[in-house]
Amino acid sequence: MKYVILIGDGMADEPLEALGGRTVLEYAETPNMDAVASSGRLGLFRSVPGGFPPGSDVANMSILGYSPARYYTGRAPLEAASIGVRLGPSDTALRCNLVSLGEGPGGTVMKDYSAGHITTDEADSLIKSLDRALGAGAAGPFRFHRGKSYRHLVVWLDGPVDFETTPPHDITGRPVEGHLPGGEGADELRSLMERSREVLRDHPVNRERRARGLATADSIWLWGQGRAPRFPTMKELFGVDGSIISAVDLMNGLGVYAGLEVIDVPGATGYIDTDYSAKARYALESLEERDFVCVHVEAPDEAGHNGSLDDKLRAVEDFDGLVVGAVREGLRRFGAFRLLVITDHPTPVRLRTHTSDPVPFALCGDGSPAGSAARRFCERDAAATGVVETDCEDFARRFFGG
């Protein structure tokens, strides 16, 4: 038996007047996801338990069968695992965004949580400069580690963890005051963020981007803190050897803790220009040797954060045709299989951030109930089935044949 989970990050949305009262999933042309919904089991999955923030970390842990109540310690420790950073038991990892700030009527404003989706090569130079000036080179408690694009990591050696932070994509276009770190150790974090602006202001990378009319990385933004978690592997939990394919460190770090092989796909960017076809091709190749593969596509979520309806429609349709369609066709050569298509959380283009509403899922393949009616993979049709899965561990056990 082969098991496949295909995750379109942030695909779910809300009804939009621009789409005639339909959601993105209702409006988009998604024949492959609709076929899975019509031939198998369709319903809603509560990926974000009560009391947890609606982040991709919590939601995707739930999809893979890891109860956030048992295993969640924060987002950044997962990203640390992806880039090979080992955390000591008293070290605190923080997600470090390179962001663009500006001035507005209410003071300093979060203009762009991604610094214009700055490239990894450009970010490499910036992060090295920050570490020399404020991290290892300054002999202080902070260490900077490069990730991908705008997503990076700071480790606070023997640092506190009980402080409050805000994801920068939650405050796009809004004043940052009132969303800066608070609580134990907050003064040190605020100081680090402020000092980063001096390091970055006239950096050669920013001078070049400014000359080209591109957004500059004016500051770091720290959030998603936590200490290293302990996970059982998916082999231990469900008896499967598997792989994960994603362009983002969060998912790859989750894969590391879950004991999955992390597959690096050339051309996978985490944005709308990602190589969808390559992801599908590598996923099918991985099934030649393993029982399970999870493919995660970030593009719909990024489009939602950017408030771009056109980009989100394009990302959803590309995911459907180039990933879901290709994998459905390729699975035929393996015989028995189970295929789960799902989104982790809604990222409404109107709100430009995540919500915690239950999300559609569709499950087909051997041992799955056969569908009998034409249905769309969308919020409305999923709700109409009356199926709502709320126990992520039980849902995963049943998916893997338990």
Side-chain angles (χ1 to χ4, degrees):
M1 179 78 81
K2 301 296 183 181
Y3 303 93
V4 180
I5 299 178
L6 304 178
I7 304 171
D9 198 300
M11 289 195 300
D13 212 296
E14 60 187 16
L16 293 167
E17 183 178 346
L19 302 181
R22 288 171 286 181
T23 68
V24 169
L25 286 170
E26 286 182 290
Y27 185 87
E29 294 293 327
T30 56
N32 294 289
M33 289 192 285
D34 296 345
V36 177
S38 297
S39 64
R41 184 168 185 250
L42 177 67
L44 294 174
F45 177 66
R46 185 167 291 282
S47 60
V48 180
F52 284 87
S56 293
D57 42 12
V58 169
N60 283 289
M61 284 178 65
S62 294
I63 290 172
L64 292 182
Y66 290 97
S67 167
R70 292 177 185 265
Y71 303 112
Y72 181 71
T73 64
R75 178 184 185 121
L78 301 175
E79 301 190 352
S82 174
I83 60 179
V85 175
R86 295 180 63 87
L87 299 175
S90 60
D91 292 342
T92 300
L94 299 103
R95 167 73 171 273
C96 175
N97 275 43
L98 292 173
V99 302
S100 299
L101 302 178
E103 295 304 316
T108 302
V109 172
M110 180 65 63
K111 289 175 60 179
D112 190 329
Y113 67 89
S114 70
H117 285 275
I118 193 166
T119 69
T120 300
D121 286 344
E122 290 171 313
D124 182 67
S125 179
L126 297 175
I127 293 298
K128 285 177 178 175
S129 294
L130 287 164
D131 197 49
R132 285 194 297 268
L134 306 176
F142 299 105
R143 299 292 182 270
F144 289 77
H145 300 273
R146 194 207 78 188
K148 297 175 184 176
S149 183
Y150 62 89
R151 312 172 184 95
H152 307 283
L153 187 79
V154 164
V155 176
W156 190 348
L157 303 177
D158 296 318
V161 74
D162 293 326
F163 47 85
E164 299 82 42
T165 58
T166 300
H169 50 256
D170 282 0
I171 56 172
T172 298
R174 295 162 55 190
V176 302
E177 189 61 38
H179 302 286
L180 294 165
E184 183 184 3
D187 288 346
E188 291 178 79
L189 295 177
R190 289 184 181 216
S191 173
L192 188 67
M193 293 163 68
E194 186 61 35
R195 286 182 288 147
S196 77
R197 301 183 69 174
E198 294 299 319
V199 176
L200 296 173
R201 179 174 291 116
D202 292 317
H203 194 282
V205 167
N206 277 330
R207 288 203 301 267
E208 182 179 350
R209 288 180 65 84
R210 198 176 291 118
R212 293 160 57 199
L214 300 176
T216 55
D218 304 317
S219 177
I220 63 171
W221 188 270
L222 302 173
W223 63 288
Q225 70 276 4
R227 294 206 168 108
R230 291 188 177 185
F231 282 22
T233 67
M234 294 192 75
K235 179 72 171 178
E236 292 168 333
L237 286 176
F238 309 118
V240 293
D241 288 314
S243 305
I244 192 163
I245 294 174
S246 176
V248 297
D249 287 325
L250 164 63
M251 292 300 298
N252 291 332
L254 183 54
V256 170
Y257 277 110
L260 303 175
E261 180 196 21
V262 176
I263 299 176
D264 183 27
V265 176
T269 66
Y271 198 48
I272 56 173
D273 60 352
T274 197
D275 193 335
Y276 299 88
S277 296
K279 285 191 168 186
R281 185 170 66 253
Y282 275 69
L284 292 168
E285 289 174 0
S286 76
L287 291 175
E288 299 286 354
E289 298 181 357
R290 293 178 172 81
D291 311 314
F292 164 62
V293 66
C294 174
V295 181
H296 170 266
V297 173
E298 178 78 358
D301 184 62
E302 291 291 332
H305 286 309
N306 290 333
S308 175
L309 179 56
D310 288 343
D311 282 352
K312 187 164 184 180
L313 285 166
R314 171 186 162 191
V316 167
E317 291 182 348
D318 284 346
F319 174 73
D320 179 80
L322 301 175
V323 178
V324 181
V327 170
R328 282 184 68 226
E329 179 65 25
L331 276 173
R332 299 185 184 199
R333 72 177 187 259
F334 295 107
F337 71 88
R338 285 185 184 167
L339 171 63
L340 172 64
V341 179
I342 194 167
T343 183
D344 54 351
H345 51 66
T347 309
V349 293
R350 181 182 66 85
L351 300 176
R352 301 178 69 171
T353 190
H354 304 164
T355 66
S356 57
D357 297 328
V359 294
F361 77 87
L363 171 62
C364 73
D366 300 81
S368 302
S372 59
R375 297 183 295 199
R376 298 291 311 276
F377 182 87
C378 66
E379 301 84 353
R380 197 185 311 269
D381 283 17
T385 68
V387 174
V388 183
E389 296 282 355
T390 60
D391 186 328
C392 69
E393 293 176 320
D394 180 62
F395 185 59
R397 277 194 297 269
R398 287 184 280 117
F399 173 70
F400 289 111

